[in-house]
Amino acid sequence: MDKRLDIKPNTINKSTLYDNFGRVHNYLRISLTDKCNLSCSYCMPSEKGLINFTKNPMSAAEIYEIAKIFVDFGVSKIRLTGGEPLLRPDCQEILESLAKLPSELCITTNGILIDKHIDTFKHLNIRSLNVSLDTLKEDRFLKITNKNHFLKVLSNIHLLLSENFHVKLNMVVMKGINDDEIFEFAKLTKDLPVHVRFIEFMPFHGNEWENGKVFSYKEIISSLEKDFELDKLDDQMHDTAKKYQVKGSKGTIAVISTISTPFCADCNRMRLTADGKMKNCLFSKGEADIIGEFRKGNDIKPMIEQCVKLKFESMGGQNINSLENRSMIQIGG
Ligand code: SAM
Ligand code: SF4
């Protein structure tokens, strides 16, 4: 049976981008920059010499024109990421142009520059932000991120909450590094309307990943069940997160289980790197040179369609223990 017929009526949209496994592709993540004001151990290669930072990133106008073509294909959600997206000097111009497109606009940020941009978010009706925070301890924040911005990030999270933004907190859980803080993060959701997402540590170029450092979905949930009564919440189609709620709490928790329980069967995501390459999977080795084609003045639609068609069934067609890929900071999570 054509898998497209399996799609529930309320989730049908007009996207015409389908891969060879019948998966609709209507979600684009755009990396605005491969630069960052933090240096997280799990994202930025420890030897910075391993990174060729892009010298010729997509311009604001190119980002808009390319995003518009994806939206014409039916993309209904765009997430800006990086590197740190809010670090880009023309970030405001990019937000304003993309907000004009008939597509939901979301941001993943490390939180440091939120106060500088909060009026723009309000003005453009961007009401939901994903903020990364891996620890609630100031000294540990410095160890993980190599920078001393813990209090700034915390105050910006509270600023968002005081202005009634929907806030998701992304915590990358690493065995022996911060897995002892799962309880404290879940406790946060009791009194604050925050949505904590525990993310399994994933392998990327230069991040010294080992299977033994992954604190898995199962381990996260069984560790939380020792202290909390958890209700399982419904997961939406295309959701990467398995959602729960601590009984009686204001917020929710969720686990993104890419390593132990991949969710590729339902994947609707595509990526554009800051240097204008399209990746059909976070773990894909192959990339399509969208910006090269665009700068030649050629029609990029066939390249986009072809890139989606070439998507592998799972994990970019690679083995998790021997991935050939960029570093996370050069992809955009
Ligand atoms: N700078 C922004 C931030 O930190 O939120 C956006 C870019 S960052 C690459 C996007 C997300 O990827 C963050 O939530 C980060 O925690 C996550 N991430 C980075 N490296 C990861 C890894 N090795 N495993 C799992 N998640 C990772
Ligand atoms: Fe920067 Fe985000 Fe990567 Fe940390 S996770 S180094 S904040 S891009």
Side-chain angles (χ1 to χ4, degrees):
M1 186 175 89
D2 182 344
K3 286 187 187 156
R4 275 171 257 189
L5 301 179
D6 282 337
I7 298 165
K8 295 187 197 106
N10 64 354
T11 58
I12 286 180
N13 60 48
K14 61 184 174 65
S15 178
T16 51
L17 290 172
Y18 285 88
D19 70 6
N20 282 332
F21 301 93
R23 294 174 292 199
V24 69
H25 282 67
N26 53 11
Y27 180 8
L28 177 67
R29 300 166 83 108
I30 305 176
S31 171
L32 295 191
T33 176
D34 53 12
K35 304 214 166 50
C36 194
N37 40 7
L38 293 183
S39 202
C40 305
S41 57
Y42 52 76
C43 176
M44 176 91 82
S46 45
E47 289 173 53
K48 295 230 179 69
L50 289 175
I51 307 182
N52 290 319
F53 289 107
T54 178
K55 291 180 188 68
N56 198 4
M58 294 184 288
S59 68
E62 287 170 338
I63 289 171
Y64 174 74
E65 290 301 329
I66 293 173
K68 188 170 173 305
I69 291 168
F70 276 92
V71 172
D72 287 344
F73 267 125
V75 162
S76 53
K77 181 170 170 181
I78 294 175
R79 176 171 298 283
L80 302 181
T81 178
E84 175 46 42
L86 302 182
L87 198 58
R88 219 179 126 127
D90 54 0
C91 162
Q92 184 140 338
E93 180 189 343
I94 295 171
L95 288 174
E96 283 185 9
S97 68
L98 294 182
K100 289 189 196 125
L101 295 172
S103 178
E104 185 187 350
L105 186 58
C106 316
I107 302 173
T108 300
T109 169
N110 61 27
I112 296 169
L113 296 169
I114 282 174
D115 50 327
K116 293 212 161 47
H117 294 282
I118 193 159
D119 289 338
T120 307
F121 302 152
K122 286 199 259 181
H123 155 67
L124 297 175
N125 207 22
I126 299 170
R127 300 297 317 178
S128 168
L129 273 93
N130 291 8
V131 184
S132 296
L133 184 69
D134 306 306
T135 176
L136 298 169
K137 300 178 182 182
E138 192 172 0
D139 55 340
R140 192 175 274 179
F141 185 94
L142 176 62
K143 268 193 202 138
I144 295 176
T145 69
N146 282 298
K147 296 278 170 0
N148 205 353
H149 293 303
F150 176 71
L151 295 176
K152 184 72 189 170
V153 173
L154 215 56
S155 80
N156 274 339
I157 290 169
H158 285 287
L159 173 66
L160 287 177
L161 292 174
S162 71
E163 299 273 2
N164 292 322
F165 279 78
H166 184 87
V167 180
K168 291 183 188 167
L169 291 185
N170 286 347
M171 178 205 192
V172 179
V173 190
M174 294 161 287
K175 211 170 254 182
I177 308 275
N178 61 352
D179 57 304
D180 57 343
E181 291 192 64
I182 287 173
F183 169 83
E184 290 299 330
F185 270 86
K187 211 170 104 194
L188 274 187
T189 67
K190 286 216 111 182
D191 300 320
L192 292 174
V194 285
H195 305 279
V196 172
R197 289 141 44 100
F198 300 111
I199 306 178
E200 287 180 353
F201 179 31
M202 296 183 271
F204 295 99
H205 183 65
N207 77 350
E208 292 168 14
W209 180 88
E210 288 165 26
N211 219 340
K213 292 181 185 167
V214 178
F215 201 71
S216 71
Y217 170 37
K218 248 185 166 170
E219 288 174 299
I220 291 168
I221 294 303
S222 51
S223 138
L224 288 174
E225 279 174 341
K226 286 185 197 144
D227 298 297
F228 300 109
E229 201 176 330
L230 298 181
D231 288 330
K232 178 77 190 78
L233 304 179
D234 287 342
D235 298 322
Q236 309 296 311
M237 197 182 184
H238 304 307
D239 236 350
T240 53
K242 296 173 177 68
K243 294 200 201 98
Y244 293 80
Q245 186 164 40
V246 175
K247 225 180 207 10
S249 62
K250 290 191 175 157
T252 62
I253 59 168
V255 185
I256 300 181
S257 60
T258 316
I259 304 301
S260 69
T261 327
F263 29 78
C264 306
D266 198 20
C267 183
N268 63 342
R269 289 172 293 280
M270 305 166 277
R271 291 181 153 78
L272 264 184
T273 60
D275 61 351
K277 308 292 188 295
M278 178 175 170
K279 284 173 81 73
N280 57 20
C281 169
L282 182 57
F283 298 109
S284 66
K285 184 174 158 197
E287 300 176 348
D289 185 12
I290 296 289
I291 197 68
E293 201 69 0
F294 185 84
R295 286 177 180 163
K296 281 185 214 151
N298 293 339
D299 181 5
I300 60 170
K301 289 195 202 100
M303 191 180 257
I304 293 172
E305 286 177 307
Q306 169 81 347
C307 184
V308 172
K309 286 275 177 230
L310 288 174
K311 181 159 173 152
F312 282 90
E313 189 168 13
S314 69
M315 303 304 269
Q318 300 209 63
N319 181 316
I320 202 75
N321 290 304
S322 57
L323 285 169
E324 287 181 57
N325 201 356
R326 297 175 177 226
S327 59
M328 176 57 123
I329 196 147
Q330 290 183 292
I331 300 172

